[in-house]
Amino acid sequence: MAWFLARRLAHAAALLMAVSAGTFALAELAPGDYFAELRTDPRVDAAAVETLRARYGLDRPPLARYGAWMAAAVRGDLGVSIAYNMPVTELLRPRLGRTLELAGVSWVLSWMAALGLAMAAAMRPGGWVDRGTAWLVSALLVVPELLLAALLVLVAARTGVPRLGGFSLAVAALAPGAAPVLLRHARAALREAAGAPFVEAARARGIGGGRLWAVYIFPAAANPMVSLFGLSFAGLLSGTLVVEAVTGWPGVGPLFLEAIASRDFYVIAAVGLVAAALLAAGNLAADLMLYALDPRIRRPR
Amino acid sequence: MADAGSLAAVRELRVEYPNGKSAVDGVTFTMRRGEVAGLLGESGCGKTTLALALAGLLPREARVSGGVEFEGQAIGGRSEAELRALRGSGIGFLFQEPLGAFHPLLNLRRQIIEAVRGRVERGGERAAAEVALEAVGLSAREFGRAWPHQLSGGQLQRAQLAQVMAARPKLVLADEPTAALDAGAEKELLDLLIGAGRGAGILLISHEPELLRRWAGRVMVMYAGRLVESGAAARVLDEPRHPYTAALLACGRPAAEGGRLAEIPGRAPEGRERPVGCAFAPRCPRRMAVCGEREPPAVEGGVEVSCWLDVA
Ligand SMILES: Nc1ncnc2c1ncn2[C@@H]1O[C@H](COP(=O)(O)OP(=O)(O)OP(=O)(O)O)[C@@H](O)[C@H]1O
Ligand SMILES: [Mg+2]
């Protein structure tokens, strides 16, 4: 167990480093910085701009900046937002809470819908639930969640349903965006498990009906689905970026887009780091769950 | 089935898979209570299909005609719930692949408990599972909480036997249960099967004549979906009357020179390409003109041969 955990943790740390370095590099490569426009303004003294840049460390070479920023990040200091003139952590904390709430609720709802429908579809392949969900999945897969969100906002505005706040609109755009892929995977996993030789063997022992599904098929199918838990959460998080902006939910999304537009350097880097941390945590949780579920991982012979 | 000793009967059974393959092509025989009958034949001749038909386990797409009866009642006419009750306590199935028969995530005791649920007194499932494990020489303490991947092939087949026997079946269909085992583990398993199965009829499927000579009382030889010869094991295997049986036996023995195993020339018909007349005729060293024209009379499970040589 300790060995397994150590390996997974090392894996998570490596992922975190790679993604944060990547985000930092991308932010670095983007032309100009927060003060780029100021510099072209004839009324502003060039020396004053340089002083400002130095104040935020923007004059230092990128590698040194990354090193200093990571060293501070380890201590929980993610730098300062130039636009808001406040610590990034303070700026991010309430918004991250709201984004996690949105992604979390959408995640739970999409999994519940996907699992329920996949169960019903897989128990009667070719039946009306199966055909209906297959059609729905194909239809939903071609609609980007951004479009869905925009449509929902439009409909809500037109019909004047004021109670339907940004949150429910955002969930209504996110969950149907995430559920189809989950449903497709869950159905495939269930059908594969249902066709496994040990299920035929169980049938030959006279085990059937609900018990066969609950004790044999579902647990066997859960295994491939667990790896999707973390991934689907990461997918939802990236979906929140645009959906929040469209529906006006004050999460990380609007802040991030704003930061990119204005090159608010440390905000961009911090969001990248937090996203990587969430992804790593999701993967770690999935690994631990697999460990708990599968004796072949827990006890290699 | 008026005969009180009859346990299961197959009459004119035909099974065709959706690809057009007639895997079983008119088979008739009777299993008696407590007997050990061997089913001998090359790979692909339809042995597994026949066993699956007996247990009502064929895939839905398979087209079945003819009759399968267990204790005088047709298998075909039973509902899914009746079939479920029949499987396990009526008919047990011992599969060929050791690892394939077990759920990878459940321990052995749990899987035996699931198999005896509703078949032993309520609350006695766990005890029954442990007794069954001990009966095949697997200590319940050591192996009850083990997962399938931790056992050897021989241990797994014994565990599977424990699972089958725990439900007290009247008929055991053993589909090449030792094909994946070495000679030692094979002897151990079959000793246990024949010993523990006392009272139950056993259909022992194999492609090895020597295995059946040792363990079966009666042998039925199958070729291309049909029985070509059947009778007491000693009679069929010592004095084969059908050229196919003779050829099969010759395969098991080293040929005179060089110690190489002999092979039957040619191959069994596949797919829809069933020849006119006797299916074995194209490969038969003793074929006559009539063999390629008309089918020899069918065998009916007793001491019989389906061959024009025998008719003459
Ligand atoms: N589900 C299936 N669909 C189509 N054809 C099948 C199916 N199962 C078996 N067959 C075919 O039916 C024939 C008989 O197969 P079966 O498994 O009964 O043979 P067998 O005697 O048990 O062979 P082996 O010794 O290899 O186990 C083979 O030609 C096989 O290819
Ligand atoms: Mg077979």
Side-chain angles (χ1 to χ4, degrees):
Chain A
M1 174 74 192
W3 179 230
F4 176 85
L5 199 62
R7 250 188 355 216
R8 300 323 300 173
L9 276 172
H11 194 257
L15 181 73
L16 203 60
M17 288 301 287
V19 175
S20 71
T23 324
F24 205 90
L26 275 179
E28 194 66 56
L29 282 174
D33 57 38
Y34 190 80
F35 304 106
E37 272 152 46
L38 226 50
R39 215 177 297 163
T40 56
D41 193 329
R43 290 164 299 177
V44 180
D45 180 19
V49 174
E50 277 319 302
T51 321
L52 276 169
R53 291 188 74 225
R55 191 157 125 210
Y56 293 103
L58 298 181
D59 58 336
R60 297 169 67 197
L63 220 55
R65 196 138 38 97
Y66 177 64
W69 181 71
M70 270 314 272
V74 170
R75 280 175 273 116
D77 172 10
L78 291 175
V80 175
S81 160
I82 310 173
Y84 288 81
N85 197 22
M86 65 192 281
V88 174
T89 44
E90 256 172 61
L91 187 63
L92 222 46
R93 194 172 292 130
R95 290 163 207 259
L96 187 63
R98 286 191 289 265
T99 291
L100 285 179
E101 188 187 341
L102 176 60
V105 169
S106 309
W107 187 78
V108 170
L109 284 178
S110 55
W111 268 106
M112 278 180 8
L115 283 181
L117 288 173
M119 251 331 219
M123 283 175 97
R124 286 190 188 285
W128 66 268
V129 179
D130 196 21
R131 278 175 290 136
T133 50
W135 184 86
L136 190 68
V137 163
S138 327
L140 280 174
L141 275 179
V142 297
V143 182
E145 52 211 11
L146 178 59
L147 189 66
L148 199 58
L151 275 175
L152 284 168
V153 170
L154 213 67
V155 170
R158 275 285 164 79
T159 53
V161 191
R163 293 289 158 270
L164 223 57
F167 186 77
S168 2
L169 280 179
V171 170
L174 280 170
V181 178
L182 305 184
L183 198 157
R184 206 170 251 191
H185 273 92
R187 185 200 177 275
L190 284 166
R191 280 318 305 167
E192 181 168 348
F198 59 80
V199 171
E200 158 151 287
R203 239 182 230 123
R205 315 271 179 253
I207 302 163
R211 263 206 106 68
L212 189 66
W213 281 91
V215 179
Y216 281 76
I217 301 176
F218 195 74
N223 228 337
M225 281 191 262
V226 165
S227 346
L228 212 61
F229 280 175
L231 273 180
S232 60
F233 193 73
L236 271 168
L237 271 180
S238 67
T240 55
L241 282 187
V242 285
V243 168
E244 281 177 348
V246 174
T247 56
W249 177 250
V252 178
L255 174 72
F256 187 55
L257 296 180
E258 195 184 295
I260 290 175
S262 65
R263 314 259 154 49
D264 195 349
F265 192 86
Y266 297 109
V267 174
I268 301 174
V271 171
L273 185 68
V274 170
L278 286 171
L279 182 64
N283 280 345
L284 194 64
D287 283 337
L288 288 176
M289 222 158 143
L290 273 183
Y291 183 89
L293 273 176
D294 196 335
R296 286 166 300 185
I297 301 173
R298 203 160 61 235
R299 292 273 168 79
R301 56 180 297 179
Chain B
M1 297 283 118
D3 186 354
S6 151
L7 177 62
V10 173
R11 250 180 292 164
E12 277 301 304
L13 180 72
R14 276 170 226 279
V15 180
E16 192 180 307
Y17 285 113
N19 56 10
K21 167 91 192 177
S22 278
V24 175
D25 199 11
V27 167
T28 300
F29 70 90
T30 305
M31 286 283 305
R32 302 175 61 83
R33 286 178 197 281
E35 80 164 328
V36 180
L39 182 63
L40 178 67
E42 285 173 296
S43 185
C45 72
K47 307 184 294 295
T48 298
T49 304
L50 180 57
L52 290 175
L54 261 165
L57 280 171
L58 282 171
R60 221 181 294 257
E61 316 86 71
R63 287 230 320 266
V64 185
S65 71
V68 178
E69 282 178 10
F70 182 75
E71 296 196 310
Q73 253 206 318
I75 296 265
R78 300 187 195 215
S79 72
E80 191 55 37
E82 284 173 317
L83 273 177
R84 212 178 290 157
L86 172 72
R87 293 183 199 129
S89 48
I91 301 177
F93 204 114
L94 202 53
F95 290 90
Q96 174 172 348
E97 281 304 318
L99 214 44
F102 288 101
H103 197 295
L105 307 180
L106 301 175
N107 70 36
L108 294 177
R109 191 176 64 201
R110 175 72 194 279
Q111 301 199 44
I112 301 179
I113 288 175
E114 290 299 329
V116 299
R117 204 183 289 283
R119 297 183 162 80
V120 299
E121 201 181 319
R122 231 189 143 128
E125 293 92 352
R126 183 175 159 162
E130 291 182 345
V131 168
L133 276 173
E134 298 281 352
V136 297
L138 295 173
S139 131
R141 279 185 66 121
E142 193 182 339
F143 290 98
R145 302 188 60 187
W147 287 281
H149 73 278
Q150 297 175 307
L151 272 68
S152 73
Q155 289 171 332
L156 277 173
Q157 288 303 69
R158 278 190 279 147
Q160 204 194 153
L161 181 64
Q163 194 185 28
V164 168
M165 286 314 188
R168 310 205 162 282
K170 293 174 185 150
L171 172 63
V172 178
L173 307 171
D175 186 9
E176 308 199 48
T178 61
L181 308 187
D182 63 33
E186 171 174 289
K187 177 175 183 324
E188 203 174 7
L189 185 79
L190 294 178
D191 269 335
L192 283 166
L193 169 64
I194 311 293
R198 237 190 321 257
I202 297 171
L203 182 67
L204 182 55
I205 299 177
S206 177
H207 57 263
E208 292 173 44
E210 293 315 310
L211 186 149
L212 295 181
R213 185 200 299 280
R214 180 163 186 182
W215 302 101
R218 183 162 71 90
V219 169
M220 299 179 278
V221 184
M222 194 171 187
Y223 183 77
R226 292 193 189 170
L227 297 186
V228 294
E229 177 163 11
S230 78
R235 207 283 291 149
V236 171
L237 300 175
D238 289 343
E239 310 152 31
R241 302 216 311 255
H242 196 288
Y244 174 65
T245 316
L248 206 57
L249 284 162
C251 291
R253 301 192 193 103
E257 73 277 5
R260 248 190 66 232
L261 289 184
E263 275 178 15
I264 308 179
R267 55 181 180 82
E270 274 171 27
R272 298 161 175 279
E273 41 156 313
R274 175 160 208 112
V276 184
C278 171
F280 187 60
R283 302 167 79 187
C284 183
R286 302 173 65 190
R287 68 175 292 187
M288 305 176 291
V290 64
C291 301
E293 291 160 8
R294 276 182 294 141
E295 266 184 55
V299 166
E300 278 211 10
V303 185
E304 286 178 72
V305 185
S306 171
C307 178
W308 287 115
L309 283 169
D310 218 69
V311 175

